[in-house]
Amino acid sequence: MKEISDIVQAYQQAQKQGIQTALATVVLVEGSAYRRAGARMLITENGHLTGAISGGCLEGDALRKARLVMAQQQPMLVTYDTMDDDDAKLGVGLGCNGIIHILIEPINRQIPNNPMQLLGIALSKRQNAVLVTLFSLQNRKAAQPGTGLLLTADDTYSALADDSLRATLNTDAAEVLLNGQSVTKTYFADNEYIGFVEYLKPVIALVIIGAGNDAVPLTKMAGVLGWDVTVIDGRANYARAERFTVAKQIITARPHEVLNHLSLDKLTAIVMMTHNYNYELALLRQLLPLQPPYIGMLGPKKKLDRMLAELEEGGLAITAAHLQHVYGPVGLDIGSESPEEIALSIVAEVKAVLSGRKGYPLKQKAQAIHAPEIE
C-alpha cells in the first residue's frame, strides 16, 4: 500500500494544481517481469511519474501513451512483449522475458468512484479490500471498463457502467476478500473480459517498544517501506518527535498503559527493545494471551527463556500457540552487528512472517517466484 499511498498523495497535489492525470496499472503478466500485476504509476500531463510499472524500461513509452489517453479521455490497454525481437530492447537491463499488459486510464474527477477515488477509499480504511479491474485482450480497440469496483468489509463502491457483470464480480470479490489471494479470471458479457480481482492489505503496523538510539534506524527503515510506526517508551525524554520523525505516533506509557493505546490486528508487529527487563516482562504478560501475529524480543534467547519461566511461575499458562508468535532473539540471521544492520534483520523478519514466507534465498525456491495469473 506504500505505492498506493504515494500515488494518492501525488494525485491530490495534481488536483490542487489543476493538472491532468492518468493511472497506469500492470493488470496481467505472462512469464517474467520486474513488477507483477497490481503495480501502479500515476502520470501527470507535465511528465511527473509516481510509482513504477517496471524497472525503468517501460516508463518512457507509457508516458507518451498516457498523454494520448489524457487527450482522448479513453482508457488504453498496452502490451509489451519482451520476448519479441521488436520489443526486446524494452527488457534490456532487466532480464525480462515475459509479456506485460498495462491498462492506462484517464482520471476524471467529475466521475464518481473513478480509479483514484477507489484507491483513496481503500487507503483510508485500515481493513482488507478487493479492487476489480476489467480489460479486454480479445478486443483491444473496444472500450476498456477499467478499475471499477471496490469491496471492503463494510461496503461496495462501483463505477461500472454495465450492470450485467456486477453480481458475478461481487461474488468473486467477496471470495477473494475471504481467501486473501488475488485472482485473474475470464468473464463474458457484451465482450470477453479479463478481470484482475486484486486483494489489497493495509500496511504493516510496527509498534516499537523502546525509544533508545537503536530504535531510530528501525523506525527509518520501516518508514521507507511505508509502514505505520508507533514508538512507545516509559521515558518522556526519550520518546520525542524530533528523534523519531517518521513515526505516526510517539507515546509515553507505563507497561500496564500500553495496550490502551494500541489496536492490534493481523498486520501488527510488536518489537520490544527497551533494554528494561521488568518493563518488557510486564508487557509480555499482557501480550501473550492476545496472540498478536508477531512479538519480537531484542536480546539473547536466555533472556526470553527466563521471562517465560517467570511468567509461568506467576501463574500464566503459556501454550505452544502463544510461543508460535514470539520471535526471540528478534530478526533474521544475516550477520548483523550495528544498529542499522539489526534493524534490517528485524524488518526482513517481520515482512517474511506477516507474508507467510520463510525468508530463505530465492535461489532455493524450486518453483517460479509468482504463480501463473489467469484461472
Side-chain angles (χ1 to χ4, degrees):
M1 291 288 265
K2 166 77 163 55
E3 186 169 68
I4 293 177
S5 176
D6 292 342
I7 285 173
V8 169
Q9 289 181 35
Y11 170 71
Q12 292 171 344
Q13 186 62 33
Q15 289 296 103
K16 291 178 183 177
Q17 299 173 0
I19 297 173
Q20 275 193 307
T21 58
L23 181 68
T25 305
V26 178
V27 290
L28 181 65
V29 173
E30 302 173 68
S32 175
Y34 184 78
R35 299 297 306 272
R36 64 188 301 190
R40 292 180 172 83
M41 181 173 71
L42 185 76
I43 304 162
T44 66
E45 60 181 314
N46 57 3
H48 184 73
L49 308 178
T50 304
I53 53 173
S54 75
C57 63
L58 305 182
E59 275 70 4
D61 189 69
L63 169 59
R64 290 187 289 272
K65 289 183 168 62
R67 283 177 168 152
L68 179 62
V69 164
M70 285 183 266
Q72 297 179 342
Q73 286 296 296
Q74 290 293 331
M76 177 189 298
L77 184 67
V78 183
T79 297
Y80 299 99
D81 185 350
T82 59
M83 296 184 289
D84 185 273
D85 288 340
D86 292 335
D87 283 354
K89 61 181 182 291
L90 294 168
V92 171
L94 290 180
C96 291
N97 189 29
I99 302 173
I100 306 157
H101 303 277
I102 297 172
L103 183 66
I104 305 176
E105 303 172 85
I107 305 301
N108 185 341
R109 64 179 179 179
Q110 304 300 326
I111 297 177
N113 293 328
N114 67 58
M116 287 308 307
Q117 288 181 357
L118 294 180
L119 288 175
I121 293 169
L123 190 67
S124 67
K125 301 185 176 187
R126 185 165 177 81
Q127 56 184 238
N128 300 327
V130 177
L131 190 66
V132 181
T133 303
L134 284 176
F135 55 98
S136 176
L137 290 177
Q138 296 294 322
N139 189 357
R140 295 171 180 275
K141 297 194 179 297
Q144 301 288 342
T147 307
L149 181 72
L150 175 71
L151 176 69
T152 67
D154 50 23
D155 215 338
T156 303
Y157 307 84
S158 177
L160 294 174
D162 185 355
D163 288 339
S164 60
L165 283 177
R166 189 170 300 177
T168 302
L169 292 175
N170 277 333
T171 299
D172 289 345
E175 185 175 345
V176 166
L177 189 63
L178 179 64
N179 295 336
Q181 294 290 333
S182 300
V183 299
T184 302
K185 302 184 69 171
T186 302
Y187 297 92
F188 297 93
D190 59 328
N191 207 338
E192 179 180 324
Y193 295 110
I194 303 296
F196 176 40
V197 189
E198 181 183 9
Y199 182 67
L200 299 175
K201 297 188 294 184
V203 298
I204 290 172
L206 178 63
V207 181
I208 302 172
I209 309 297
N213 291 338
D214 54 354
V216 175
L218 181 55
T219 63
K220 290 180 178 179
M221 288 189 187
V224 168
L225 295 172
W227 295 0
D228 286 343
V229 180
T230 298
V231 177
I232 301 178
D233 200 299
R235 303 164 294 181
N237 58 325
Y238 279 75
R240 301 198 316 269
E242 57 268 27
R243 300 188 68 235
F244 299 98
T245 55
V246 301
K248 193 172 183 179
Q249 292 186 90
I250 302 173
I251 299 166
T252 303
R254 298 174 182 175
H256 67 275
E257 300 170 330
V258 168
L259 291 182
N260 295 333
H261 298 278
L262 300 181
S263 178
L264 305 180
D265 58 34
K266 293 181 179 179
L267 285 175
T268 300
I270 301 166
V271 176
M272 297 196 197
M273 49 195 314
T274 66
H275 304 280
N276 183 322
Y277 183 90
N278 291 327
Y279 190 107
E280 294 182 2
L281 179 66
L283 185 54
L284 187 60
R285 184 190 304 276
Q286 301 172 66
L287 286 173
L288 281 177
L290 301 178
Q291 298 186 41
Y294 184 98
I295 303 173
M297 302 288 295
L298 186 68
K301 188 175 187 302
K302 62 182 180 182
K303 169 192 165 185
L304 175 59
D305 290 342
R306 178 186 166 193
M307 284 184 171
L308 295 173
E310 287 191 33
L311 292 176
E312 286 190 309
E313 290 172 4
L316 181 64
I318 300 176
T319 68
H322 295 140
L323 298 180
Q324 181 183 355
H325 304 283
V326 179
Y327 296 81
V330 67
L332 297 181
D333 181 9
I334 58 173
S336 301
E337 294 291 343
S338 68
E340 291 77 13
E341 291 171 346
I342 293 170
L344 175 62
S345 75
I346 293 172
V347 165
E349 183 177 62
V350 169
K351 174 59 181 173
V353 169
L354 297 188
S355 298
R357 301 298 177 92
K358 299 298 184 182
Y360 55 75
L362 284 173
K363 66 180 291 183
Q364 297 178 10
K365 192 177 179 72
Q367 60 271 64
I369 297 174
H370 303 306
E373 300 198 8
I374 299 183
E375 286 192 349

